[in-house]
Amino acid sequence: LLVKARRNTDASSNFALAIEGYEEAGFRTKAISVAVLSAEQLPKRLECWLRAAELYREDGRVEDAVDVLVQARLQFTGRRHARSALVVLEELFSIEPSFPVRFDRARTRALLGERREALLELERLLREEPGRLRWIRRAMWQIRRSPGDLFRYLRALLFRR
């Protein structure tokens, strides 16, 4: 009812109280269900997503935690929500440091104006993921917009390395 009345702060605190109550009573599955429900009902509240992922991890359900964090990442798009997206990506990185997570993290950092950190991450990816050369070169060109980066991106496109 609080969500429908657009009283999101009150709804968030009520969800948090319910989660704590179920946890203290030993009903971990119910606590997880309420945490996931809170994230679905309040999709722009970062703390709801992080709490659901944390409960899954504590329960040993790492794959479910990854799924929740991926869903959270889909909620935080664009420059306006880039800081929240980066928090979600850092959490994902701590669980699964895969290429998509690292690549998205670098691009999100660039969106936030952290160009140097983004380019360093992309340089590391160049060494570790040679099969993704075109993606990485394109991202580097989009961040720096230098003629050298454009040339390297076009060369990667033409020679399909």
Side-chain angles (χ1 to χ4, degrees):
L1 291 173
L2 291 172
V3 172
K4 287 187 179 192
R6 296 179 193 248
R7 294 176 50 193
N8 293 343
T9 305
D10 294 334
S12 180
S13 62
N14 280 352
F15 277 126
L17 286 173
I19 293 166
E20 283 180 39
Y22 281 130
E23 257 194 311
E24 288 173 5
F27 297 113
R28 183 166 269 327
T29 305
K30 286 188 178 189
I32 291 171
S33 297
V34 172
V36 170
L37 180 65
S38 73
E40 291 170 351
Q41 293 295 314
L42 302 166
K44 297 299 182 192
R45 294 256 178 186
L46 176 62
E47 67 273 4
C48 295
W49 293 105
L50 295 178
R51 184 69 174 131
E54 177 187 358
L55 288 171
Y56 274 132
R57 282 179 81 174
E58 289 173 358
D59 204 38
R61 296 166 60 183
V62 177
E63 289 177 7
D64 291 325
V66 169
D67 287 343
V68 164
L69 290 170
V70 168
Q71 289 177 5
R73 175 59 184 103
L74 295 173
Q75 296 299 318
F76 302 110
T77 58
R79 191 176 305 273
R80 181 177 177 203
H81 299 291
R83 184 62 58 194
S84 296
L86 188 58
V87 170
V88 170
L89 288 166
E90 291 294 343
E91 194 67 27
L92 260 172
F93 180 78
S94 72
I95 298 172
E96 184 177 311
S98 62
F99 173 79
V101 172
R102 293 174 65 195
F103 185 74
D104 192 12
R105 188 173 70 161
R107 290 182 54 111
T108 303
R109 280 196 168 133
L111 192 62
L112 286 168
E114 300 172 9
R115 292 177 54 202
R116 184 166 190 230
E117 293 83 0
L119 290 168
L120 286 172
E121 180 75 32
L122 291 171
E123 289 287 344
R124 281 191 295 273
L125 282 174
L126 267 178
R127 290 189 298 277
E128 297 168 16
E129 299 279 346
R132 313 285 184 134
L133 185 66
R134 286 177 283 167
W135 286 38
I136 298 167
R137 289 291 186 199
R138 179 175 183 227
M140 292 175 90
W141 175 68
Q142 289 174 332
I143 293 169
R144 253 192 302 232
R145 295 286 182 185
S146 74
D149 283 319
L150 177 60
F151 173 75
R152 287 186 282 278
Y153 168 55
L154 292 174
R155 187 174 65 191
L157 273 178
L158 293 174
F159 296 112
R160 303 233 180 233
R161 286 186 28 193

